[in-house]
Every structure is written in structure tokens, then in C-alpha cells.
Amino acid sequence: GAGVSQTPSNKVTEKGKYVELRCDPISGHTALYWYRQSLGQGPEFLIYFQGTGAADDSGLPNDRFFAVRPEGSVSTLKIQRTERGDSAVYLCASSYRRQGRGELFFGEGSRLTVL
Amino acid sequence: SQELEQSPQSLIVQEGKNLTINCTSSKTLYGLYWYKQKYGEGLIFLMMLQKGGEEKSHEKITAKLDEKKQQSSLHITASQPSHAGIYLCGADGSGAGSYQLTFGKGTKLSVIP
């Protein structure tokens, strides 16, 4: 079956622009996670969805970042007024049940470059 | 907050050699995950350890969680070029099946044929 799909794979934008990154999880996975990975670093947690609701958004760095999952499947990470420091690979992961009792399945990531 | 330190940061080995990567936590580990990442690809799950003293193996890769649950090691036997990549340890530090994994910075492994 298909894995976690993320689009676009690469996005180059100018400072101040708005960006949307999409994640299509594995079918049937109720939990969805967004992580951000900067060069030379491990992934950092951003937000976790259980179904349609954001169960924990404590990792979002500021109010320019927002994520939705309106139907409990596809999720979109939205970044307003992008800054150069937002440049990173944004990873989406899904799991059948809450992490800690199973593995996370990661997508290949969306590489965001802010010029 | 929990921090994970991985050592070494990078490693170059000759094909066929054994190697060990370590992951040390600043706090008790309630769940320790090992992932592998190749450039341009997502993280691939390798193993999960939860109990002190637990050891798991998959093909030529063995991971252990020490008794005190603050350190894990990943051992590769008879390395192959296919083992090359970045190995990341991730920790669940809350004991409640947390969804917030904290990751180390990774160990970059190169295997020379």
C-alpha cells in the first residue's frame, strides 16, 4: 500500500510569502504528526493530530505556523510571512495509534527554502 | 526537557567491519526508537525498545537499552554499503506513550566497499 505522501517535495519561496505543505497519511492511520528538521539536526516536534483535532500544538514555533486536518485524513501545514529561518525539511508522519505503542511512518518530507 | 546525545557524530568503516552507535539520554527513557534516514528520504523505523535490558535484532542490526534506561546502543555486524545513512535515536520521555519524540542529531555512517 501507499506510504505517507508529502507535497511539494521542494518549495522555494521569497521571504514574506505564504506557504502550504500537504501531507496524505497512510489510509486508516488516525494519528498524524508534523516534525521539522533543520540541517544537521534531528527532527523537532511541531504538532500532533488525533483525528480532526490538534491534540498538541505546543511545538509550533509561533503564530505564523498553523496546521489543519479537517476530515481526519489529509493535513496541511500553513506558514504565513515566511522567514529565512523557516528553511528546513518538514516531515509528516502517521501511525495507527498513539505513538509509544507503535512506530511512526514518515513521509519523505517537504524541503522549504526561503530566500 | 529531555536531550539525546549521539556518538559518534560520523563514522566511516570498511565493508565487513562491525560498528556501534550510542545514544545517551539526560532523563529516563520510557521508549527508545531507532530510525535510519537516507538523503532525500524519510525516516525508516528500525526498532523500538521499552524495557531496561531489552535487546532486539533485525538482520545484522542489534539494539540494546541499558538497565538504567538512560542509554541505548545500535550495533551493526559485518557492515554493508546498504547500511550507509544517518541513524537517529528518538525518545519518548514521558512514560505515557507520548507522541512527542525527542530526537538526537544523528550519526552519519559511511561504508566503504
Side-chain angles (χ1 to χ4, degrees):
Chain A
V4 177
S5 176
Q6 292 189 245
T7 55
S9 55
N10 277 289
K11 176 71 177 178
V12 180
T13 190
E14 294 179 342
K15 179 183 173 183
K17 299 292 187 181
Y18 170 80
V19 166
E20 287 191 353
L21 306 176
R22 175 189 166 107
C23 173
D24 199 342
I26 293 172
S27 178
H29 281 191
T30 57
L32 184 146
Y33 316 78
W34 284 98
Y35 281 78
R36 177 169 73 172
Q37 186 174 25
S38 300
L39 191 63
Q41 304 294 315
E44 292 179 293
F45 170 82
L46 295 177
I47 187 170
Y48 156 64
F49 287 90
Q50 184 61 256
T52 60
D56 185 349
D57 64 358
S58 63
L60 294 177
N62 51 59
D63 61 6
R64 296 187 296 104
F65 289 75
F66 188 70
V68 296
R69 195 186 184 197
E71 298 179 355
S73 179
V74 171
S75 175
T76 304
L77 179 66
K78 307 180 180 190
I79 309 173
Q80 298 177 322
R81 303 183 305 279
T82 51
E83 300 177 356
R84 292 193 179 89
D86 298 336
S87 297
V89 176
Y90 289 82
L91 296 166
C92 177
S94 69
S95 68
Y96 176 67
R97 47 198 168 180
R98 199 176 72 170
Q99 174 61 36
R101 297 177 177 83
E103 65 184 274
L104 289 182
F105 293 83
F106 281 85
E108 294 187 357
S110 291
R111 181 178 298 275
L112 174 65
T113 302
V114 181
L115 301 176
Chain B
S1 63
Q2 184 168 35
E3 293 185 358
L4 296 178
E5 184 173 337
Q6 287 188 236
S7 62
Q9 290 184 326
S10 64
L11 194 54
I12 302 173
V13 298
Q14 199 78 35
E15 182 177 0
K17 296 294 185 184
N18 303 335
L19 63 105
T20 300
I21 297 169
N22 293 301
C23 175
T24 302
S25 173
S26 58
K27 296 183 178 181
T28 298
L29 294 163
Y30 291 97
L32 190 287
Y33 301 78
W34 283 100
Y35 283 85
K36 180 184 175 184
Q37 185 176 34
K38 287 196 168 184
Y39 182 80
E41 299 179 13
L43 280 66
I44 305 298
F45 174 79
L46 295 175
M47 275 170 279
M48 176 178 70
L49 305 165
Q50 290 186 302
K51 300 177 183 177
E54 186 174 11
E55 179 175 322
K56 288 187 176 179
S57 293
H58 177 67
E59 298 180 343
K60 294 184 178 180
I61 301 176
T62 300
K64 302 178 184 179
L65 182 61
D66 76 354
E67 290 288 346
K68 294 183 179 179
K69 295 175 68 176
Q70 285 201 259
Q71 187 172 48
S72 178
S73 60
L74 185 83
H75 184 77
I76 299 177
T77 302
S79 58
Q80 301 171 351
S82 61
H83 288 128
I86 298 173
Y87 289 81
L88 292 155
C89 62
D92 167 10
S94 73
S98 172
Y99 35 80
Q100 282 197 32
L101 290 189
T102 298
F103 283 92
K105 292 184 178 181
T107 294
K108 183 178 179 182
L109 172 63
S110 302
V111 180
I112 302 172

